[in-house]
Each structure stands twice: as structure tokens, then as C-alpha cells.
């Protein structure tokens, strides 16, 4: 990707998403976001981060980067730049999705399920989740008639995603691939997504949505790696569909 604007977005990504995402997930969960089944350790870390951070903006109040919290019934929190619209955008570019596990997830797996998860396995899982996220978003948006591109243009919307606070209830036990875990949920994850204009690098919107993923409607049952993949993909598809629908509505309004 040789466009200077796109390169700047890539270079800025890791630091901004890590610092901002881990702080904002706490305010999202505790202020009207979708309820999650986070483990106690994750809640404790989120509460600590939230205490040290400024209080989240109330609806209509501007954030430090000029976005305004808007009322939304589909997602935990949606911040939009006043006057921003999706009307100009007929194509999209997507940056690699950053994936970050919930605090103490590896320790929980070792303590509760005697699963020894190496750092290499964590990195492999993060890469697999990131690839799944990109595949879902590209598929859903292109089905809506919005092709993916890799160069900046006035009609290109840049997606900068992260999945944070990821907690997999039933990771695959490499020593026993057929094993499963008895639980009411396959896990949780929080979407942190920012939308940028590809030419100006202007931040247009930010979405934060915590999701407890399960195909069991709260009923306890055996969870497996295959179930994790299906439930995670379902959550990603819901997020992608919401964005696609918003872009389709903006296109129809032109």
C-alpha cells in the first residue's frame, strides 16, 4: 500500500487501538452496552482502567477528538463526527484487525481446565480470529456492492478494527482435540471499530460493542472449538451487516 495517507493510518493503528480500546470497553460495558459474561479478572481490570480514565461523554457531548455520542439501539456505543455521512463512500479499505485477549485468560484456562496455552498458540489464535474478521467483513460488504480496495480515493472508507477483551470459553485442547467444555456461553469479545476518510485521514465514527457469544440462549451445554468459531463468526456477521445496511441506506439517499 503506497499511498501516504493509508500508510499513516497503518502506522498509527497499534498504539491508538490499544490505549483507547482498553479504556473505552470499560465505559461501554458499564453504561448501557450489551451485557457480557466477562470473567471476574476482566471486570476488575476494566474497572481499574475506567477509574483512571475520564468519564465517557453523555449523549450530545463531544469527545476530545470531536466525536459525539449518539443514541443507538443496535450497538453498545456509537460516536459520530458532527456532519459526517457515509454518502460519499462506495468502496472500502480494511486494516488488519488487532486482537487482544481478556486479562488472565490464559491463567483461567490453566486453573479451571488444566490447559497449557503457549504464547505461540495465543498468537496463532489471534491471527486466525483476525483473518476470520476480515473475511466476514469483506464478504458482507462486497455482497452489498461495496468493493474492497487498497488505495485512497474520495469514495473510499477506511475501516480500522480491533477485537478486544476476547475470552474463549472452550479453546481447543491440543492434547485432546475432541474435548469440550460445559458452559452457557462460548465466550465474549468486544468490537472496537473506527471509520476514516481515506484521503483526509479524518476520523468519522467510532463503534464499541461488547458481545457475549453463544448459540445456546443461556442453556448450559457442551461447548467446542467448532461452536466457538460459529458463534464468533455470527457476531462478526452481525456487525458487518449493520455497517453494510448503513452504507446501503446512505447510497439510496443520494
Amino acid at each position: 500500500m503506497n499511498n501516504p495517507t493509508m500508510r499513516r493510518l497503518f502506522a498509527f493503528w497499534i498504539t491508538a487501538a490499544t490505549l483507547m480500546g482498553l479504556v473505552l470497553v470499560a465505559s461501554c460495558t458499564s453504561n448501557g452496552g450489551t451485557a457480557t459474561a466477562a470473567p471476574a479478572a476482566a471486570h476488575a481490570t476494566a474497572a481499574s482502567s475506567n477509574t483512571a480514565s475520564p468519564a465517557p461523554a453523555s449523549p450530545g457531548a463531544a469527545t476530545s477528538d470531536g466525536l459525539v455520542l449518539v443514541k443507538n439501539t443496535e450497538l453498545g456505543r456509537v460516536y459520530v463526527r458532527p456532519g459526517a455521512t457515509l454518502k460519499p463512500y462506495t468502496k472500502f479499505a480494511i486494516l488488519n484487525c488487532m486482537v487482544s485477549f481478556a486479562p488472565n485468560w490464559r491463567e483461567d484456562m490453566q486453573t479451571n481446565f488444566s490447559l497449557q496455552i503457549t504464547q505461540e498458540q495465543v498468537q496463532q489464535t489471534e491471527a486466525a480470529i483476525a483473518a476470520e474478521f476480515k473475511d466476514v467483513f469483506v464478504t458482507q460488504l462486497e455482497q452489498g456492492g461495496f468493493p474492497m480496495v487498497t488505495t485512497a480515493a474520495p469514495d473510499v472508507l477506511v475501516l480500522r478494527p480491533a477485537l478486544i477483551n476476547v475470552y474463549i470459553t472452550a479453546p481447543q485442547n491440543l492434547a485432546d482435540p475432541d474435548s469440550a467444555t460445559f458452559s452457557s456461553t462460548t465466550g465474549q469479545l468486544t468490537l472496537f471499530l473506527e471509520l476514516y476518510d481515506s484521503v483526509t485521514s479524518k476520523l468519522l465514527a467510532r463503534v464499541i460493542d461488547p458481545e457475549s457469544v453463544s448459540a445456546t440462549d443461556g442453556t448450559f451445554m457442551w461447548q467446542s472449538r467448532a461452536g466457538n468459531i460459529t458463534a464468533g463468526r455470527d457476531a462478526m456477521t452481525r456487525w458487518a451487516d449493520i455497517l453494510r445496511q448503513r452504507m446501503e441506506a446512505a447510497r439510496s439517499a443520494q
Side-chain angles (χ1 to χ4, degrees), residues 58-138:
S58 58
T63 64
S64 59
D65 49 9
L67 303 186
V68 173
L69 178 63
V70 298
K71 184 176 181 181
N72 187 282
T73 59
E74 295 177 297
L75 299 163
R77 281 185 176 263
V78 177
Y79 298 83
V80 176
R81 183 171 300 281
T85 175
L86 294 175
K87 285 183 179 181
Y89 305 108
T90 60
K91 306 179 184 69
F92 74 98
I94 183 168
L95 279 64
N96 292 333
C97 181
M98 187 193 79
V99 178
S100 176
F101 278 90
N104 297 326
W105 174 73
R106 286 174 63 189
E107 290 83 352
D108 286 350
M109 293 301 102
Q110 180 175 341
T111 300
N112 298 329
F113 306 109
S114 299
L115 290 180
Q116 301 293 333
I117 301 174
T118 67
Q119 184 58 35
E120 181 181 3
Q121 290 168 345
V122 170
Q123 293 172 348
Q124 290 174 347
T125 303
E126 289 173 345
I129 293 173
E132 192 78 6
F133 183 94
K134 183 174 182 179
D135 179 66
V136 168
F137 266 69
V138 170

Side-chain angles (χ1 to χ4, degrees), residues 37 169 181-187 212-223:
T169 300
T181 302
F182 196 62
S183 174
S184 64
T185 175
T186 57
S212 178
V213 291
S214 177
T216 64
D217 297 324
T219 303
F220 277 81
M221 64 177 295
W222 292 108
Q223 308 292 349

Side-chain angles (χ1 to χ4, degrees), residues 2-26:
N2 56 12
N3 183 275
T5 299
M6 300 292 278
R7 285 204 304 270
R8 285 198 300 273
L9 286 174
F10 270 100
F12 181 68
W13 177 207
I14 294 298
T15 300
T18 302
L19 295 179
M20 191 172 297
L22 292 178
V23 171
L24 288 178
V25 65

Side-chain angles (χ1 to χ4, degrees), residues 34-40 43 167 169 184-185 187-188 211-213:
T34 303
T36 65
H43 276 306
Y167 194 97
T169 300
S184 64
T185 175
Q188 69 173 37
E211 184 78 13
S212 178
V213 291

